[in-house]
Amino acid sequence: MNKKQLKQYILEDFYRYFGTYDKKMYYRYSFTYPNIAFTKALRLAKYYKDKNKIKYLWYKILHRRMTTKYGFQIPIETEIGRGFYLGHHGSVVINVSSKIGNNVNIGQCVTIGQTNRGPKQGCPTIGNNVFVGPNSVVVGKITIGDNVLIAPLAYVNMDVPSNSIVLGNPARIIPRNNATEKYIQNEIVGIN
């Protein structure tokens, strides 16, 4: 990734919140809006990790401070696609080995984690245009397809095909072509 691509990723994350690339709004909210500030620090720390030790250290400290302050536990090394959206701050835990696609919404109190034993030992891979509702748990070496809505309070430990809604504990999968319609707002198009 080059610096131009990094800037584009950060602006696309911002766009997901407000539906605009307005520079005044960006500079106003990129340091005061917790979700945007955290995501920006996360992306900058990841970018500078192997490029500039001083900037990396600065953004790593900033990332760690925001992790403590806002409750987002998303390691710098986590693979996250473009247009990442954190619905509310507080209690979001994502395992470092998880992979998250483009245009993904994560609600509050969500865990995307690892299973330590059994046939699904490992971490999830989440596709594009996925909504993970509040208090949901997604665990194990599973694949969540594209255009999937994981409802609040769902416990997902199985593969989910694209164009589905997932409900409950144990999870129940309901096929639906427009599963995330009106849930993925301000979608970044042309990146899937």
Side-chain angles (χ1 to χ4, degrees):
M1 175 188 297
N2 61 37
K3 204 160 193 171
K4 186 177 179 181
Q5 290 170 319
L6 169 71
K7 185 176 180 181
Q8 187 65 32
Y9 274 44
I10 291 170
L11 285 174
E12 287 170 346
D13 292 341
F14 176 79
Y15 181 84
R16 289 292 317 285
Y17 290 90
F18 298 106
T20 181
Y21 291 112
D22 182 68
K23 286 185 178 182
K24 284 184 181 179
M25 277 185 75
Y26 170 75
Y27 289 114
R28 179 178 176 194
Y29 290 110
S30 66
F31 296 105
T32 59
Y33 202 81
N35 309 19
I36 295 169
F38 176 83
T39 305
K40 183 177 178 180
L42 177 76
R43 296 236 190 243
L44 287 164
K46 185 171 185 166
Y47 174 77
Y48 285 116
K49 185 173 184 182
D50 297 322
K51 292 177 177 58
N52 184 318
K53 289 183 181 184
I54 293 171
K55 287 185 178 182
Y56 169 66
L57 182 61
W58 165 253
Y59 287 114
K60 183 178 179 179
I61 291 168
L62 186 61
H63 171 265
R64 190 163 292 170
R65 183 175 181 272
M66 289 184 186
T67 293
T68 303
K69 185 173 183 179
Y70 301 127
F72 300 121
Q73 294 182 22
I74 306 172
I76 293 165
E77 298 81 9
T78 307
E79 190 177 316
I80 298 173
R82 298 160 70 176
F84 187 58
Y85 180 94
L86 293 166
H88 301 278
H89 67 279
S91 249
V92 172
V93 179
I94 300 177
N95 187 286
V96 68
S97 298
S98 300
K99 294 178 183 163
I100 298 174
N102 302 316
N103 293 314
V104 173
N105 284 32
I106 305 289
Q108 69 273 21
C109 302
V110 165
T111 299
I112 299 174
Q114 176 175 315
T115 299
N116 293 326
R117 63 181 181 200
K120 294 186 178 167
Q121 181 178 347
C123 294
T125 299
I126 296 176
N128 301 316
N129 300 324
V130 174
F131 177 89
V132 183
N135 297 299
S136 298
V137 176
V138 181
V139 293
K141 189 173 183 176
I142 60 173
T143 301
I144 307 296
D146 297 337
N147 190 37
V148 171
L149 186 144
I150 298 173
L153 298 170
Y155 178 80
V156 185
N157 64 348
M158 65 183 86
D159 290 339
V160 177
S162 295
N163 303 309
S164 301
I165 296 175
V166 184
L167 303 167
N169 181 6
R172 192 178 65 185
I173 299 170
I174 302 168
R176 177 84 40 94
N177 283 335
N178 58 352
T180 58
E181 184 179 12
K182 297 189 180 180
Y183 280 88
I184 305 293
Q185 69 280 2
N186 305 321
E187 178 181 337
I188 308 298
V189 292
I191 59 173
N192 295 331

